[in-house]
Amino acid sequence: MDNYFLIARNRKDNTFTVLKLQEVWYLGREKGRPGVITRANDLEAIDLVTTRFGSEKEMAERMTMNGYIPDSNVDIFVASKREKDGKSYIRFEEVLYNRKADRTAALRRVAQTSLVSDFRDDGYDVNAIYDDVISHAYTIDDYLEMLLDGDMNVSRSFAEQLRGITSYSDIPYSLKEKAGFGVSDYRALRNIVESLNRFEGLSCSCRDDRFDKNKEFVEANLSDRMAIVPELSVQLDKDYVEGQLSLFSLLGEEEKRQVQEATQAIAEEEKLIPAKIKVDRSLDDASKRKEIYRVLRSLPRGVLYREKGSSEYKVNLDLFAHYPLDESETKKLTTYLTGNLPKFFAQYIRDYRLLCDANKDGFTPGSEIAEMQTDVEYDIKRIDGRFKSSKCLNMTYEWCMVMEGALARDKAVSEGAKVVTDTDDKAKTYGKK
């Protein structure tokens, strides 16, 4: 998992403190180890601590009273460090507080589960959060507009799933059951909760006022946070040792500005993606087969589906809502899986995920796991049987590379990426490993 840091930035002098978490704060006294204190944490652990407080003010006053920070006039946020091409940049997340009890309780249960195992988006608590955001998006037009305009820290891919929601005659809670609906990781889900909390905290009844208040919220701390990016880059490094001399403390203001601008440039480069999906066709047959199974194990829920009453599996083209496939890509994805391969793929994806879940939960009997393993091996045998034909192998490999590339491209665009049509070598190349 990624490392996240809880930061308290003093609003008076713009100094900051990396707040350490005690394990017992988020695991409880029964599971948490006394005396275990960490600077870098999972996002779930941070949320489990901060959601014990009703507001930033309440948390800041408690930390001041207990001696963790010298002044309660602080901006508290979450930061993580990202690397690209040997350079680093900082990503910010807003803190979650206990604004609405039932929503917070649901998110906390998801966080507790996700902290010790992989995030899953099909549980009761996740669905309750989906119902919450669906209801808000349907009944409050400026909240929906903020999501679609990117004014909240919610992934564009999720926001686009709510476009057109007001055309329904009633609140469409069934949207969450649609193939491809939802999020794929904990961070994306908790940021949905943050957007709901933030919107409800914009204590104005006028629609225009809420837009202005949200803009004020975003801009209130951004410039000051950006000013400490160079220092954060050092202190959030995995090799950082507390008390070491920060090289940035020796830099002048102009040099600090240059470091900050470089960080911003790296973040902008993350928004460049190529329009064309490149496929490496030079691999030998064994490598192509290996790549096929790697892609199958990573495909999202609902990539292949059957319509009610039909035995035929189809590719879910609705997954590409943010950057539509071109004619060539559509043809490959809809025709390159021949015979029973769509069915075999769908069954392999299902059986493989069931096996992974059983191995992780720690409660499934060994005999059942063995049966699941047998099912997966049978699926592989059926798929491999089709690969006796070189043509079938090559077409299936092409299908997997195009599918993986198109999904990655669509996700990047949904998060604000810019598509480039030339051969800019700064752009990411999807579909090739």
Side-chain angles (χ1 to χ4, degrees), residues 27-56:
L27 290 184
R29 297 194 177 278
E30 292 184 2
K31 297 181 180 180
R33 295 167 294 177
V36 175
I37 304 173
T38 49
R39 296 173 76 251
N41 293 280
D42 296 321
L43 188 55
E44 293 91 332
I46 292 176
D47 289 345
L48 285 169
V49 172
T50 63
T51 50
R52 294 181 181 275
F53 301 93
S55 66
E56 180 181 72

Side-chain angles (χ1 to χ4, degrees), residues 274 276-281 283 291 294-295 397-409 428-433:
K276 185 175 178 58
I277 298 170
K278 295 183 179 179
V279 178
D280 183 2
R281 299 183 180 88
L283 301 182
E291 285 294 278
R294 179 188 62 76
V295 172
Y397 168 72
E398 187 93 8
W399 184 92
C400 286
M401 294 299 100
V402 172
M403 173 61 76
E404 179 181 49
L407 287 171
R409 182 183 61 195
K428 298 178 182 178
T429 300
Y430 294 118
K432 180 178 179 179
K433 301 296 175 182

